[in-house]
Amino acid sequence: MSNPLLDFSDLPAFDRITPADVAPAIDTLLERANAALETVTAADFPAQWNAIAQVLDVATEELGRAWGAVSHLNSVADTPELRAAYNEALPRVTEFWTRLGADERLYAKYKAIDPASLNAEQHQALKNAVRNFVLSGAELTGADKERFAQIQERQAELQQKFSENTLDATDAFAYYAGESELDGVPDDVRQAARAAAQAEGKEGCKLTLKMPCYLPVMQFATSSALRERLYRAYVTRASDQAEGDGKRFDNSDFIREILALRQEEARLLGYVNFGEVSVVPKMAQSPAEVVGFLRDLARRARPHAEKDVADLRAFAADHLGLSDPQAWDWPYVAEKLKEARYAFSEQEVKQYFTAPRVLAGLFKIIETLFEVAIRRDTAPVWHPAVEFYRIERGGQLVGQFYLDQPARTGKRGGAWMDDVRTRWLRPDTGQLQTPVAHLVCNFAEGVDGKPALLTHDDVITLFHEFGHGLHHMLTQVNERDVSGIGGVEWDAVELPSQFMENFCWEWKVLQHMTAHVETGAPLPRTLFDKMMAARNFQSGMQTLRQIEFALFDMLLHTEHDPAQDFMPLLGLVRSEVAVLQPPAFSRTAHTFSHIFAGGYAAGYYSYKWAEVLSADAYAAFEETASEDGSPSQETGRRYRQAILEAGGSRPAMESFKAFRGREPSLDALLRHQGMA
Ligand SMILES: [Zn+2]
């Protein structure tokens, strides 16, 4: 009777959930959700928002919450038993959501709802729901419908093949270097490579194309010949240019077929090309707007990128004896120039960032700017290291969150925010459900009884994830699917997270957030200045590199004819954007997994787009800061109300304009990155 996954009275019973609970709970909840779907789609069921929500949304929310708890445990407290239970239930859960999203009876019911009966939040939620149905092919009939389904299935296969080829081509390469070839390569990389060779009973050091090996070799190896060998293998992976039998992983045909299917899918949905389909649920209004945005940014970054290259060339000639650096020399030259200009040790910086002090500093910013109080709270947890907090305003509960900081065995790497439950004025009880979030990091633990020390990157990560968390928890929206991050366009969803990162570069903030682990002294200004200078190292070149990818992606899905070879388009984009032309054999498109195997097709621009939004939003704080650099509380309130509280209840552009009084501008991003 007491399956903890079926108890929705309050917070999940993380301390009691066992792998054996998963299958019976998911079975029960799927049964309820299916029954709810049948109920609301019956011919005589009223086409009314609240009536549907009371039955269907209540059932799907329970399924979502229980499955969320299982997935969460699978990510942070993995055991073989739990993984087996998770994998067993996963296909059934996925099948339900897919079927729900394409159920034509439900689509018809939603379309029959009288818009006049809805409040503004419900109106937006309904609009999103109908849009998603249409993009899933709900309007298609007969042969078109069948073909649409075939296209989806074939695309999933091709994307899987594309990523397998990419992975296999990467794994297939190995070069066993002699010790003498590895001059300059850091000791830890060299040791790992030696151990890898030994494990295979081979001599020397095994070099691979995986990042932890490839990157340091390219940056540090003094042998240009060694770098060239790895570089050639890397940029020809999974292509027709791969050496020897590496050609068996060639992705060319898969890319062509994927592009053709996307084009066909777009036409079936009534659009000219896939780029147009991609932007429908996004903040950008059209592919042309995206292309214009990228070209504008490229034009303004170009002089800085040219200066970056000139600096590299001069340094290579004067200090490294390289009069004509090749593609495989640039990372090496850049690393040497960076060392010469900004030498400081990450190890030294870490001594000033103790986890408790950083957290206290972060909470102080949130409390001051967003007029809330953060207090420790209690809840069942999955590990003793997990902390639980509540956010209050004027004594009223606003939201709660779990904070799981340390890395440990059985916990997936990286950092993320996830929702436990969403703010929702429940249609079944009439009660307001407050939001709860997971904030998960993977920080090193403190040693010898000392607090954990964070790198500056860790600090930025923590602020970033809290930005997502605040978006989820400070929302004032009552409608589930557009509350918090729900329903936010995904080219805008990184606004609040990247926004928070800016505080990690404020002297005024860092001073109070740092204390040397031994002496208690704050971060020295000289060290901070070096960090600031290194922050924008080669930002011009990096910007153009991102724009090259983004522009290629958008043009490939709009102007390109899938029947033609796509390499000439890549060449055109490179000659338009890049300041350093890659060699003719370079085939980086063949491993561009974001757009061919991930969800970023005609959407890679989102990274830069959201950066512009977050930088411009933060500039409002710079413009209104007090003389001593403290951020304005009034600006904090306006930001909170316009962006965080509004969540997905209105288009992101409206929220942005409500806060900034105008459309976004590139100026702040360029200034922050030293390209003003
Ligand atoms: Zn993020």
Side-chain angles (χ1 to χ4, degrees):
M1 184 53 249
S2 63
N3 189 324
L5 283 168
L6 293 176
D7 177 3
F8 299 99
S9 55
D10 195 16
L11 298 159
F14 282 121
D15 56 341
R16 290 197 293 123
I17 299 168
T18 67
D21 297 322
V22 176
I26 297 302
D27 284 344
T28 303
L29 294 170
L30 278 172
E31 214 171 286
R32 284 187 204 164
N34 274 312
L37 179 60
E38 291 310 309
T39 304
V40 303
T41 52
D44 57 350
F45 194 87
Q48 287 166 7
W49 183 264
N50 268 319
I52 298 173
Q54 274 168 16
V55 178
L56 184 61
D57 293 6
V58 166
T60 55
E61 206 247 358
E62 288 188 346
L63 175 64
R65 263 162 78 178
W67 184 245
V70 175
S71 319
H72 177 71
L73 289 175
N74 186 49
S75 297
V76 296
D78 183 30
T79 61
E81 295 76 22
L82 181 65
R83 189 184 297 192
Y86 173 85
N87 286 330
E88 188 275 324
L90 179 63
R92 282 180 293 146
V93 176
T94 312
E95 186 275 335
F96 172 77
W97 290 119
T98 310
R99 189 156 42 79
L100 182 74
D103 191 293
E104 285 169 41
R105 301 165 304 167
L106 184 59
Y107 175 52
K109 197 66 85 180
Y110 275 132
K111 273 204 302 186
I113 293 176
D114 174 10
S117 69
L118 304 175
N119 65 33
E121 294 175 356
Q122 291 166 341
H123 195 83
Q124 184 69 32
L126 178 65
K127 224 169 91 181
N128 292 352
V130 168
R131 176 198 69 201
N132 293 344
F133 271 113
V134 173
L135 291 180
S136 308
E139 295 262 296
L140 301 177
T141 53
D144 283 354
K145 189 166 201 73
E146 232 166 85
R147 179 61 189 151
F148 190 86
Q150 279 172 1
I151 290 175
Q152 301 305 317
E153 205 172 302
R154 180 65 182 152
Q155 280 197 40
E157 267 171 41
L158 289 168
Q159 298 201 9
Q160 176 64 17
K161 287 194 165 122
F162 181 97
S163 38
E164 283 170 11
N165 263 353
T166 304
L167 190 68
D168 293 347
T170 308
D171 286 349
F173 176 89
Y175 174 65
Y176 299 86
E179 293 280 351
S180 61
E181 290 176 84
L182 292 179
D183 182 49
V185 175
D187 279 343
D188 56 333
V189 180
R190 198 191 279 241
Q191 275 165 18
R194 197 182 299 129
Q198 272 167 9
E200 296 176 8
K202 295 221 163 75
E203 294 283 306
C205 299
K206 182 183 180 183
L207 301 183
T208 71
L209 300 181
K210 296 189 188 77
M211 273 303 129
C213 177
Y214 177 73
L215 205 61
V217 170
M218 295 306 291
Q219 289 172 318
F220 297 106
T222 55
S223 162
S224 181
L226 178 68
R227 283 187 268 109
E228 180 178 355
R229 182 179 284 269
L230 260 67
Y231 175 84
R232 278 182 181 274
Y234 189 79
V235 302
T236 57
R237 277 174 309 151
S239 82
D240 55 313
Q241 297 291 309
E243 283 168 34
D245 65 352
K247 285 187 183 58
R248 70 187 187 280
F249 302 121
D250 186 3
N251 269 331
S252 305
D253 290 343
F254 294 144
I255 295 176
R256 266 191 286 279
E257 195 180 343
I258 289 171
L259 292 173
L261 289 176
R262 284 180 184 157
Q263 167 89 301
E264 194 184 345
E265 175 188 328
R267 299 259 161 100
L268 281 172
L269 292 174
Y271 295 93
V272 178
N273 54 54
F274 188 79
E276 288 192 352
V277 177
S278 167
V279 298
V280 171
K282 296 196 174 83
M283 181 177 171
Q285 295 293 303
S286 67
E289 185 188 4
V290 171
V291 168
F293 158 75
L294 293 170
R295 288 194 161 135
D296 190 17
L297 190 55
R299 187 179 53 78
R300 295 180 59 178
R302 181 153 204 104
H304 303 276
E306 280 168 353
K307 166 109 179 23
D308 291 341
V309 177
D311 287 355
L312 286 177
R313 277 196 198 284
F315 185 83
D318 298 348
H319 299 274
L320 303 172
L322 285 167
S323 56
D324 182 22
Q326 300 300 304
W328 45 89
D329 294 323
W330 294 117
Y332 175 74
V333 175
E335 192 56 36
K336 288 281 172 281
L337 175 59
K338 193 174 167 192
E339 278 170 24
R341 273 194 194 166
Y342 317 110
F344 68 87
S345 125
E346 269 298 328
Q347 215 44 41
E348 186 190 351
V349 171
K350 258 170 84 170
Q351 308 301 315
Y352 293 93
F353 290 103
T354 62
R357 182 90 183 196
V358 169
L359 206 60
L362 169 61
F363 286 2
K364 181 100 186 117
I365 292 172
I366 296 171
E367 290 182 325
T368 314
L369 277 191
F370 304 135
E371 301 174 296
V372 291
I374 302 177
R375 300 183 209 291
R376 268 308 272 271
D377 200 350
T378 51
V381 293
W382 52 93
H383 189 276
V386 179
E387 296 164 12
F388 189 66
Y389 293 89
R390 60 195 281 120
I391 303 180
E392 294 176 352
R393 181 176 299 120
Q396 291 276 58
L397 178 65
V398 173
Q400 290 156 297
F401 62 91
Y402 300 85
L403 177 62
D404 185 353
Q405 297 181 79
R408 62 174 174 270
T409 313
K411 182 172 167 183
R412 176 157 68 83
W416 65 91
M417 190 287 290
D418 203 354
D419 69 307
V420 179
R421 67 180 195 215
T422 303
R423 181 180 156 110
W424 190 23
L425 184 60
R426 294 193 64 103
D428 50 346
T429 61
Q431 301 287 309
L432 183 69
Q433 171 174 301
T434 52
V436 181
H438 284 301
L439 288 152
V440 185
C441 313
N442 268 281
F443 297 150
E445 279 196 275
V447 285
D448 302 335
K450 287 181 194 146
L453 300 178
L454 308 187
T455 66
H456 190 242
D457 275 347
D458 288 338
V459 177
I460 291 173
T461 300
L462 183 71
F463 274 62
H464 179 105
E465 298 309 333
F466 262 89
H468 286 306
L470 292 170
H471 204 186
H472 176 66
M473 291 185 283
L474 298 190
T475 187
Q476 289 296 304
V477 173
N478 291 333
E479 196 57 45
R480 183 191 67 172
D481 293 345
V482 290
S483 134
I485 59 170
V488 175
E489 298 96 314
W490 86 325
D491 46 358
V493 83
E494 295 294 333
L495 191 174
S497 51
Q498 293 179 347
F499 166 84
M500 287 299 290
E501 293 181 21
N502 287 284
F503 290 106
C504 307
W505 296 102
E506 288 289 353
W507 174 240
K508 170 90 186 156
V509 170
L510 286 194
Q511 258 178 313
H512 299 293
M513 224 168 61
T514 53
H516 193 279
V517 64
E518 305 290 348
T519 67
L523 183 76
R525 179 75 203 218
T526 47
L527 188 51
F528 173 74
D529 288 342
K530 282 187 195 171
M531 291 161 63
M532 278 303 280
R535 175 193 186 189
N536 289 329
F537 180 60
Q538 293 198 316
S539 56
M541 279 179 71
Q542 277 165 17
T543 301
L544 287 193
R545 180 110 181 112
Q546 288 299 102
I547 293 174
E548 178 188 322
F549 287 134
L551 189 59
F552 172 64
D553 167 41
M554 191 48 94
L555 294 178
L556 191 64
H557 289 101
T558 49
E559 293 179 4
H560 176 69
D561 172 3
Q564 305 295 317
D565 183 12
F566 56 87
M567 280 308 293
L569 175 68
L570 183 57
L572 278 176
V573 169
R574 280 172 172 172
S575 57
E576 178 188 336
V577 176
V579 278
L580 288 172
Q581 293 304 318
F585 60 75
S586 167
R587 290 288 182 276
T588 43
H590 289 69
T591 51
F592 197 176
S593 299
H594 274 86
I595 68 166
F596 294 123
Y600 279 84
Y604 195 78
Y605 75 89
S606 300
Y607 287 107
K608 277 288 158 211
W609 186 273
E611 257 183 86
V612 167
L613 299 178
S614 61
D616 199 5
Y618 190 73
F621 286 82
E622 295 173 316
E623 289 156 14
T624 55
S626 67
E627 221 148 89
D628 72 345
S630 305
S632 147
Q633 264 191 297
E634 165 57 20
T635 309
R637 186 178 306 136
R638 290 199 309 106
Y639 174 80
R640 183 186 93 215
Q641 290 169 348
I643 309 275
L644 299 178
E645 292 185 355
S649 67
R650 60 182 177 191
M653 184 59 96
E654 269 179 42
S655 294
F656 188 91
K657 287 206 276 200
F659 173 56
R660 218 51 179 105
R662 56 163 174 74
E663 297 201 350
S665 140
L666 304 181
D667 296 344
L669 179 68
L670 290 165
R671 180 165 50 77
H672 290 163
Q673 298 190 341
M675 296 187 283

